[in-house]
Amino acid sequence: MLLLTIAGLAAGARPPCTVSPVDSMFKLVLADATPTDLSQLIPLTTPLAAARGEMVHFQALVALNFPQPTVSLAVTLDAPNGIEVSARAVRYLSLSKVYDPDHVSGFYPDPLVPPSAPVQPTPGGGFNFTFATPDLNVLPTNSGVGALLFWVTLNVSSSAAAGTHTGIFTLNGPGLATAGTPVECVGGFKVSVSKFTLPSQPTQLTGAQFEPQPLEAFSAGGEVSVSTVLNHFKSFSAQEIDTLVWFELDELPWAPTYGFNADRTAVTLNTTAHEEWWPQVLSITGARHWRMPFSNRVNCHVSHQFPDNCTWMFHDVNGSVFSVPIFEPPSSPNATTAVLNPEFQRLFTLLFKEVLVYLDRMGWTEQGAWVMVTDEPSWNNAATARNTLALIRAYHQVSPDIRVYQTRVPVVSPDPKNPAPATTAVAEALFAEVDWWCPHVCQWVFPSVPEHLAEARRNRTAAGKPFFATVYDNGVPLIESPWQRVRYQAYNVWASNGTLDGTLSWYNINSIIPCTTEDVHVGNCTSPWYNPYLPSPGKGWPAGWGALIYPPPLVGDKNPLPPVWAPVESIRWVMLGAGIRDTEYAYALEKLHSTQADDLLKQLRALSPAFSSKWNPLCGDVTYGDDGYMVEPHPLAGGSSAINAWKLAAAALLDTLVEN
C-alpha cells in the first residue's frame, strides 16, 4: 500500500526511495549508534484515531538512495474542509557529550523544523510544504540508505465529517532524482474521525513556565518583540497550555507599570499597553488563571528560603526602585509568628488594592489575582515557614479575592526522600491558607502527599473555597524525557482519581547561550541544537535541560538575530498536548458507567508508567534511563501504537453514545 512503485526497476533492485508513515509514538532511530534497519519498519496501515476538535500526528520516514535534496512535500486529504494539514521536518540531534555516563551517544529526533517557504495550497485541497537543504538532515542507516523524517499534523475541526478519510503523502523536488530521472515518493495514510467531540476547554489545567527575559538573547537589539512573545503564546495554546500562573508577566513588553506619588500615599497604574495586548493573549490561550501584576518582588537572594532580612522592591512615580524591609526582627530565631514592618504593610496594601481595582474593571479578578510567595520553600526552616505564612496572610488581608498557589507541599513525614519536613502546625496552617498546591513529582512518592491533597480538596470544597493541585517537573534532559513519558503526564493526572487537576511542564531556555558558526566548533556556546549535553557555565546542567521548545537554531554574524521569531517545537512538546487530548476520551468514558468502558479505562491505566519512577532521576529511582521511546516491549502490527489502538476502541464506544 505504501511502498513506491517505479516502472523499469530491475528485479530485486532497491527502489530509489520509499515512504513509510508510522504512528507518532515510535522512535525511528535508536538511541545507540546503530540506526534502525528500515527493512524492519512496519508502515501505518491502521487508521489514525481522531475525535472532532482534536489535533493528531504521524511520522513519515523517507528512505533515499541518493544525496540530500531540496524537497517539496505535498499532503492531500479527501476531507479538506474539515481537517487542516501541516508538516515539519524532524531534525536529529547528535549527542556526542552526555550528562550521564550510562547513556550512549547517538542520534535523537526531536526539533520540528517548519517549512522554509510559505505553505501553498495544491489542486485537490491539499497543501505543499517546501524544505530547503538546511532544514533537513539525512541520517545514514545500517541498510546503506539515507533517512529523512517528517512530522505531519492533522488538526481536525469540531465540524469535520465523521468517518474514515484517506490521504496521500507525496515527496518530490528538483534535487530528488536518480540517474537524471525525477523521482516521486508516495505514501498513503488514513484517519478515522469519530463523532465524539473534544470539549472546547480541556478538562485538565496545564501550565508552563515562561520567562520573557531569556528571549532577549535571541532577538535583534536585545529586546524581545511583542510579536515574538505572542508567537510563544500560540505555541503554548497549541499544546493546551491554559494556566499562566507560572509566567513572569511583569517582564512582558506590554506589562503594566505603577508608581507611588512623592509622599507615597497613593499609587498610579499605567495599564494602557496591557489593556491592548493582554486580551490578545487571552484570546490565543483561553487562559483560566494568571499571575497578579507586581506580585513577585521579594528580594532575598536565597533559593528556597525566606529569611527575616528580605525586602520588597517598590516603584516611585518616576520609575526608580526603593526597597523596604518586609519583617520586623523576630523575637527569637525559632519564633513561629512573623511581624510585618508597618511601612511595608501600608505600601503593600495601597499597591494591591489599586491592582484589584484594575482587575475588577477589566473583569479579570477571578482569573488574574493569583500569587506565589516562595518557590519550593524549605518548610523545616523556621524563618521560611513563618515568613511565608505571614506574607500569604498579608495578601488575604488586602482582599479574599487574592488567591495563593504554592510549590512544595509541606510534608510532615520524615521520609528519607523528603528534604524539608514541616511541623504539623505549619502544615495545617498552610493547608488552610493556600488555594492551589503544586507538589514536585518526587513528592508523589511520599505516602502522605496524595492523602493530604485529597483531604484538603474535600475540606475546601465543603467550605465553598477553590482548590487546585497540579504536579510539576519536566526539567530533565532530552533522553531522560522520552516522548511517551511527556504524553503520559496527563494520563497520570487522570489516574489520580481527582486528586490532581493537571501538570506544570517546566521548560527552560535560561541556560542557553546563542551560537555563531564558529562557536559551535570550539564549544563557546551552550545550545540544545549543537551541544545538547554541554554543561552551561556555572550551572553544571546540560544546555538542553528542560528545553521542550527551541530558540532559533543559529544566530550570530552569519545569520543575524531575527527581530521576530517563533519557537521551534520539539516532539516532546507536541506529545504533551497529545496526552492532554487523549485523556478526554477517558473522562468521557467514565460517564458511561458500563462494563465496556470500565475495561477500556483499565487498559489505559496499564499503559501509563506511574508517578514518579519514570520521570526524574532525582526521585531516587534508578530506572529512569532511556527506554527506546517505545510504548510497548513487543512488536506491533500495522505501525500503530497501543495508544492509537486504544483510542480507536474508545472512539467506537463513545460514538454509540453520540448515536443514542
Side-chain angles (χ1 to χ4, degrees):
M1 170 186 173
L2 300 177
L3 295 183
L4 173 72
T5 301
I6 299 179
L9 281 180
R14 188 167 57 195
C17 63
T18 59
V19 177
S20 300
V22 289
D23 193 301
S24 63
M25 286 300 287
F26 290 97
K27 184 179 179 188
L28 298 184
V29 176
L30 300 180
D32 60 26
T34 306
T36 303
D37 182 351
L38 300 183
S39 66
Q40 302 300 313
L41 189 66
I42 303 174
L44 180 61
T45 56
T46 303
L48 288 168
R52 288 166 168 165
E54 185 177 11
M55 181 187 296
V56 296
H57 314 274
F58 71 89
Q59 302 171 91
L61 185 71
V62 180
L64 301 170
N65 290 350
F66 35 80
Q68 177 175 333
T70 296
V71 299
S72 179
L73 169 68
V75 182
T76 57
L77 199 63
D78 65 4
N81 294 328
I83 302 177
E84 180 183 350
V85 181
S86 61
R88 288 169 283 185
V90 179
R91 184 79 65 85
Y92 290 95
L93 300 182
S94 175
L95 299 185
S96 57
K97 297 181 179 181
V98 296
Y99 179 63
D100 191 311
D102 293 335
H103 291 106
V104 292
S105 300
F107 296 98
Y108 289 79
D110 195 46
L112 301 176
V113 182
S116 56
V119 177
Q120 300 294 330
T122 62
F127 299 90
N128 187 283
F129 310 91
T130 300
F131 297 91
T133 300
D135 300 327
L136 307 169
N137 57 348
V138 176
L139 209 61
T141 71
N142 58 9
S143 56
V145 299
L148 284 175
L149 183 60
F150 295 93
W151 189 271
V152 181
T153 297
L154 307 177
N155 197 352
V156 182
S157 73
S158 58
S159 60
T164 299
H165 305 283
T166 59
I168 300 295
F169 180 104
T170 306
L171 190 71
N172 55 34
L176 198 62
T178 179
T181 303
V183 172
E184 186 175 75
C185 304
V186 180
F189 63 93
K190 296 180 180 180
V191 56
S192 177
V193 177
S194 170
K195 298 175 183 177
F196 168 59
T197 304
L198 297 192
S200 57
Q201 186 177 72
T203 301
Q204 297 188 11
L205 299 176
T206 307
Q209 186 186 37
F210 174 60
E211 299 179 7
Q213 186 176 1
L215 306 186
E216 296 172 359
F218 299 92
S219 301
E223 295 184 2
V224 59
S225 69
V226 168
S227 297
T228 294
V229 177
L230 287 178
N231 283 338
H232 277 70
F233 280 110
K234 291 174 184 177
S235 179
F236 299 135
S237 177
Q239 309 314 328
E240 315 297 342
I241 306 296
D242 62 358
T243 293
L244 308 181
V245 295
W246 297 97
F247 283 54
E248 296 291 349
L249 301 177
D250 290 351
E251 297 178 12
L252 291 171
W254 58 78
T257 59
Y258 77 92
F260 282 93
N261 61 358
D263 57 3
R264 296 177 180 169
T265 57
V267 177
T268 300
L269 267 60
N270 181 353
T271 61
T272 302
H274 191 250
E275 291 181 44
E276 177 184 355
W277 289 105
W278 191 242
Q280 293 192 39
V281 174
L282 300 184
S283 176
I284 290 169
T285 62
R288 292 184 261 181
H289 314 92
W290 60 88
R291 184 178 293 188
M292 187 167 68
F294 322 125
S295 61
N296 189 24
R297 291 295 173 263
V298 176
N299 183 24
C300 290
H301 303 296
V302 181
S303 297
H304 310 309
Q305 293 191 13
F306 201 172
D308 299 314
N309 61 354
C310 292
T311 60
W312 189 282
M313 313 303 290
F314 290 104
H315 291 258
D316 278 327
V317 70
N318 61 2
S320 61
V321 177
F322 64 96
S323 178
V324 177
I326 299 174
F327 306 105
E328 295 283 89
S331 57
S332 74
N334 295 320
T336 58
T337 303
V339 178
L340 294 176
N341 172 11
E343 178 63 4
F344 160 77
Q345 191 164 16
R346 183 184 72 83
L347 296 170
F348 181 88
T349 302
L350 280 172
L351 171 60
F352 287 108
K353 281 189 176 296
E354 196 65 32
V355 171
L356 285 169
V357 169
Y358 169 58
L359 294 177
D360 185 63
R361 175 168 64 84
M362 300 300 293
W364 293 341
T365 303
E366 183 177 349
Q367 308 100 309
W370 287 91
V371 302
M372 182 175 72
V373 172
T374 315
D375 183 33
E376 295 186 337
S378 301
W379 297 121
N380 60 342
N381 179 275
T384 298
R386 66 172 176 260
N387 293 337
T388 300
L389 273 166
L391 195 54
I392 290 174
R393 289 165 176 161
Y395 277 118
H396 285 159
Q397 287 174 10
V398 172
S399 172
D401 290 332
I402 297 178
R403 303 297 185 185
V404 177
Y405 66 96
Q406 187 59 58
T407 51
R408 186 171 285 170
V409 173
V411 179
V412 177
S413 169
D415 190 290
K417 297 177 182 178
N418 181 17
T423 66
T424 300
V426 167
E428 290 178 350
L430 286 165
F431 274 109
E433 297 281 356
V434 174
D435 305 279
W436 186 335
W437 280 107
C438 308
H440 189 279
V441 67
C442 291
Q443 289 195 299
W444 209 249
V445 301
F446 301 160
S448 61
V449 168
E451 291 80 4
H452 277 320
L453 291 174
E455 181 182 5
R457 185 182 298 276
R458 289 193 297 269
N459 293 340
R460 293 184 67 86
T461 300
K465 297 180 179 180
F467 183 81
F468 303 104
T470 52
V471 70
Y472 75 99
D473 180 57
N474 210 8
V476 292
L478 189 154
I479 61 173
E480 277 92 36
S481 192
W483 309 350
Q484 81 271 26
R485 292 189 198 149
V486 182
R487 190 166 184 169
Y488 283 158
Q489 289 185 62
Y491 292 31
N492 283 308
V493 169
W494 163 76
S496 73
N497 297 320
T499 302
L500 292 171
D501 297 285
T503 61
L504 160 70
S505 288
W506 178 80
Y507 83 95
N508 181 23
I509 63 171
N510 287 337
S511 60
I512 298 175
I513 300 174
C515 295
T516 65
T517 305
E518 291 76 14
D519 288 332
V520 174
H521 295 296
V522 298
N524 287 338
C525 63
T526 55
S527 170
W529 288 99
Y530 307 104
N531 298 309
Y533 267 61
L534 185 66
S536 305
K539 290 268 188 181
W541 289 354
W545 186 272
L548 288 174
I549 62 176
Y550 292 79
L554 186 64
V555 295
D557 295 339
K558 295 189 177 181
N559 189 359
L561 288 164
V564 176
W565 57 278
V568 176
E569 295 184 325
S570 69
I571 292 177
R572 293 165 296 125
W573 181 245
V574 300
M575 287 291 97
L576 171 68
I580 295 166
R581 292 184 285 270
D582 292 342
T583 58
E584 297 298 349
Y585 290 73
Y587 290 117
L589 287 172
E590 287 180 325
K591 300 175 183 178
L592 297 186
H593 304 291
S594 71
T595 301
Q596 287 177 292
D598 290 344
D599 288 342
L600 285 167
L601 294 174
K602 289 178 182 178
Q603 292 176 29
L604 189 64
R605 289 180 188 274
L607 275 177
S608 174
F611 290 125
S612 59
S613 63
K614 301 297 184 184
W615 277 38
N616 190 319
L618 301 179
C619 297
D621 191 313
V622 297
T623 64
Y624 68 92
D626 178 73
D627 57 6
Y629 290 37
M630 289 291 291
V631 182
E632 303 83 13
H634 55 82
L636 294 170
S640 175
S641 70
I643 291 177
N644 189 62
W646 181 88
K647 289 175 66 178
L648 286 170
L653 184 58
L654 291 169
D655 276 358
T656 63
L657 177 66
V658 174
E659 292 168 358
N660 295 331

